[in-house]
């Protein structure tokens, strides 16, 4: 079977044999995808003129109601999506929940938040500005929805959540969505879009999806479009310098590589709640989705006197995690999504081993449960130890996209700050400490290079949302190496899909334009 693409209000099968999507446990070919023969320029223009116009005719609260209907539909088909996650991604039930339930939760969150914007169709920012000696001539700043398309080029690790965490705020803003999911796991995203289309929830052109290669997609984006990309820094660099993107100053949002850190404070000694909470979170981040999360912990910074005890504690927990076919009872850790990703992980792990000691895993003869190692895509959870600090190179530069993390001991707080910053920009750092003096120095010392800093102490306990969990009400993104992008953050995400302008004129004109406007301050509420 070949998956069809949904463009210009039609389902169209791409030409040629297409690329195979496989089961990463058995190696079986499941379906094929192809974008060959798709008129991308026509698809984008249809989305702008048909889908965009229909969405903008609705109020914010009417668009929010559409999102609520989508969430209800996705919830009803949750079991089907879990099965697709198992087959195409090798997801355990917990992995599928992280992706699918995360998507549903995010859409529901924007459906609820969008109600607060009421019957408006655009946003008004601040009060009027006097431009003359009397009120006869004034200025008013507005945020107007873009007349273009939100183009999403997504990563393979979150085919469900990656689609809807971007699509929900775009649709709420009144901007149509054009999704290009990563080829290896495109089936789930395609099925979700197909279900929404079949249900008739959105107007024609409001959502499109193309599976397979992106081909000439960036040749056809315009100054009124938004391109949002999640993936490698190398691909991001090519996108930023694409001639059409540069020439037309296309708005672009990037989430790229990130060597995120977990940092233990000096008070997080063995036997303390902070130490135990750190161990639990490190193991969870190494095993959930087999470490295939852009937010996963890659470096573990610990006081030098504690680092070996931490290595022993994490290793002990990893030893109890059964790795293999998610269809088998008791399996907690599944495969990577493809043999190509497995090869990339092995390549990165080999670089890390040049300057690290393996304290758990790394067994070349590792045998997964109920799976053939020769055809499957498993990587044994591997914990490394590097005592080179800032002198290390690969530990701070190589992101192994799999179940691999490295413990790096530090000397003092200044050293911890320097090591964390050596990542050159990350999505998230989690800190396990109740030491006010340590936190008062560390958090400000790393905050400008991290999109999110999560602080966990005994009082927080198990109530925190998790190092790797991206909450729809909080910012997702990071500076520098992490791409410099920003997504989510509640209604703040709508700013990406609006353009600020000032209208200068008489009071009557500004009053007329303000009737359909909602206070932009609500975006930060």
């Amino acid at each position: 079977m070949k998956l069809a693409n949904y463009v210009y209000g039609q389902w169209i099968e791409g030409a040629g044999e297409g690329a195979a999507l496989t089961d990463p446990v058995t190696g079986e070919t499941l379906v094929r995808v192809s974008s060959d023969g798709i008129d991308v320029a026509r698809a984008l223009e249809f989305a702008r003129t048909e889908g965009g116009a229909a969405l903008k005719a609705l109020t914010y609260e009417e668009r929010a109601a559409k999102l609520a209907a989508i969430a209800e539909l996705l919830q009803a088909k949750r079991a089907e999506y879990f099965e697709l996650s198992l087959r195409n991604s090798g997801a355990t039930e917990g992995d599928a929940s992280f992706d699918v339930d995360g998507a549903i939760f995010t859409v529901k969150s924007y459906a609820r938040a969008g109600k607060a914007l009421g019957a408006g169709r655009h946003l008004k920012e601040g009060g009027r500005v006097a431009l003359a000696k009397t009120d006869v001539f004034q200025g008013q700043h507005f945020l107007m929805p873009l007349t273009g398309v939100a183009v999403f080029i997504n990563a393979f690790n979150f085919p469900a959540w990656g689609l809807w965490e971007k699509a929900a705020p775009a649709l709420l803003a009144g901007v149509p969505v054009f999704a290009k999911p990563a080829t290896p796991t495109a089936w789930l995203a395609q099925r979700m879009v197909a279900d929404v289309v079949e249900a008739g929830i959105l107007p024609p052109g409001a959502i499109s999806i193309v599976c397979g290669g992106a081909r000439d997609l960036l040749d056809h984006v315009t100054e009124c479009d938004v391109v949002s990309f999640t993936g490698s820094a190398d691909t991001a660099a090519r996108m930023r310098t694409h001639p059409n993107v540069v020439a037309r100053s296309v708005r672009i949002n990037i989430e790229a590589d990130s060597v995120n850190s977990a940092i233990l404070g000096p008070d997080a000694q063995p036997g303390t709640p902070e130490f135990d909470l750190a161990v639990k979170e490190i193991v969870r981040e190494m095993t959930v989705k087999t470490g295939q999360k852009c937010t996963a912990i890659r470096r573990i910074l610990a006081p030098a006197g504690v680092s070996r005890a931490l290595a022993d504690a994490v290793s002990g927990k990893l030893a109890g995690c059964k790795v293999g076919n998610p269809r088998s009872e008791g399996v907690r850790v599944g495969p990577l999504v493809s043999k190509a990703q497995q090869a990339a992980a092995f390549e990165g792990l080999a670089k890390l081993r040049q300057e690290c000691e393996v304290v758990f895993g790394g067994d070349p003869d590792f045998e997964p449960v109920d799976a053939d190692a020769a055809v499957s895509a498993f990587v044994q959870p591997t914990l490394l130890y590097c005592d080179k600090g800032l002198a290390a190179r690969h530990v701070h530069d190589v992101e192994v996209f799999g179940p691999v993390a490295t413990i790096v001991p530090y000397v003092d707080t200044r050293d911890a700050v320097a090591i964390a910053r050596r990542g050159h920009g990350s999505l998230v750092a989690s800190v396990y400490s109740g030491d006010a003096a340590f936190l008062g120095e560390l958090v400000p010392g790393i905050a400008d290079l991290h999109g999110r800093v999560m602080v966990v102490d005994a009082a927080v306990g198990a109530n925190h949302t998790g190092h790797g969990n991206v909450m729809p009400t909080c910012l997702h993104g990071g500076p520098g190496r992490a791409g410099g992008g920003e997504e989510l953050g509640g209604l703040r995400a709508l700013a990406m899909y609006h353009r600020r302008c000032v209208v200068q004129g008489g009071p009557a004109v500004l009053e007329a334009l303000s009737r359909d406007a909602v206070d932009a301050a609500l975006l930060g509420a």
Side-chain angles (χ1 to χ4, degrees), residues 55-63 114 116-126 128 140-147 172-175 494-495 497-503 509-523:
L55 285 172
K56 288 173 183 62
L58 303 174
T59 65
Y60 289 112
E61 61 185 358
E62 288 171 335
R63 297 172 204 149
L117 299 179
R121 290 185 175 83
H122 54 267
L123 302 164
K124 181 176 66 173
E125 188 177 52
R128 294 184 192 175
Q140 175 67 63
H141 288 85
F142 292 96
L143 295 174
M144 297 292 187
L146 296 175
T147 56
L172 182 58
V175 177
L494 272 66
Y497 306 104
H498 288 73
R499 185 85 68 184
R500 178 181 288 105
C501 70
V502 62
V503 178
V509 172
L510 300 183
E511 181 61 33
L513 289 171
S514 297
R515 290 192 193 108
D516 275 348
V518 183
D519 189 351
L522 289 172
L523 299 191

Side-chain angles (χ1 to χ4, degrees), residues 23 36 38 50 114 330 348 357 385 404:
D23 183 324
D36 292 347
I38 300 298
E50 298 294 328
E357 165 195 348
Y385 187 95
V404 178

Side-chain angles (χ1 to χ4, degrees), residues 14 23 56-57 78 126 135 168 176 180 226 236 244 258 294 355 359 410 412 419 472 476-477 489 506:
D23 183 324
K56 288 173 183 62
R78 177 176 179 269
D135 292 341
K180 212 305 288 182
V226 175
N244 186 51
S258 184
C294 53
E355 56 192 18
V359 294
Y410 68 83
D412 53 25
I419 293 172
H476 176 54

Side-chain angles (χ1 to χ4, degrees), residues 186-326:
W187 197 0
L188 178 54
Q190 194 265 5
R191 173 65 65 83
M192 287 179 152
V193 171
D195 289 339
V196 170
V197 169
E198 183 180 2
I201 297 171
L202 296 172
I207 190 164
S208 307
I209 188 166
V210 167
C211 303
R215 296 174 43 247
D216 59 344
L217 176 57
L218 294 183
D219 291 340
H220 305 294
V221 294
T222 73
E223 54 280 341
C224 290
D225 298 328
V226 175
V227 176
S228 183
F229 169 75
T230 300
S232 74
D234 290 342
T235 303
R238 292 196 297 272
M239 293 177 64
R240 281 195 172 102
T241 56
H242 187 281
N244 186 51
V245 170
V246 173
R248 305 191 75 154
S249 300
V250 178
R251 183 175 288 183
I252 189 165
N253 190 77
I254 300 291
E255 182 204 311
D257 302 347
S258 184
V259 282
N260 311 294
S261 301
I263 307 171
L264 277 69
D267 56 322
Q269 298 290 315
T272 64
E274 288 79 10
F275 183 90
D276 293 341
L277 288 163
V279 170
K280 181 178 180 180
E281 197 64 12
I282 291 163
V283 173
R284 177 160 61 181
E285 286 300 302
M286 290 182 67
T287 55
V288 170
K289 289 192 71 68
T290 321
Q292 298 170 104
K293 305 206 315 291
C294 53
T295 53
I297 294 169
R298 307 300 180 191
R299 299 178 300 165
I300 306 159
L301 283 56
V306 172
S307 57
R308 288 293 180 181
L310 178 65
D312 290 342
V314 173
S315 297
K317 294 290 186 183
L318 289 174
C321 297
K322 188 180 290 189
V323 183
N325 190 333

Side-chain angles (χ1 to χ4, degrees), residues 89-100 102 156-158 279-298 317-318 321-323 326 331-337 379-382 400-405 464-470:
S89 298
T92 65
E93 185 171 353
D95 296 339
S97 175
F98 204 92
D99 188 23
V100 175
F156 66 82
N157 54 332
F158 284 104
V279 170
K280 181 178 180 180
E281 197 64 12
I282 291 163
V283 173
R284 177 160 61 181
E285 286 300 302
M286 290 182 67
T287 55
V288 170
K289 289 192 71 68
T290 321
Q292 298 170 104
K293 305 206 315 291
C294 53
T295 53
I297 294 169
R298 307 300 180 191
K317 294 290 186 183
L318 289 174
C321 297
K322 188 180 290 189
V323 183
V331 166
R332 180 174 170 182
V333 185
L336 300 192
V337 301
V379 173
Q380 185 184 24
T382 304
V400 178
F401 214 70
V404 178
H464 66 83
T465 52
H467 170 101
N469 281 9
V470 176

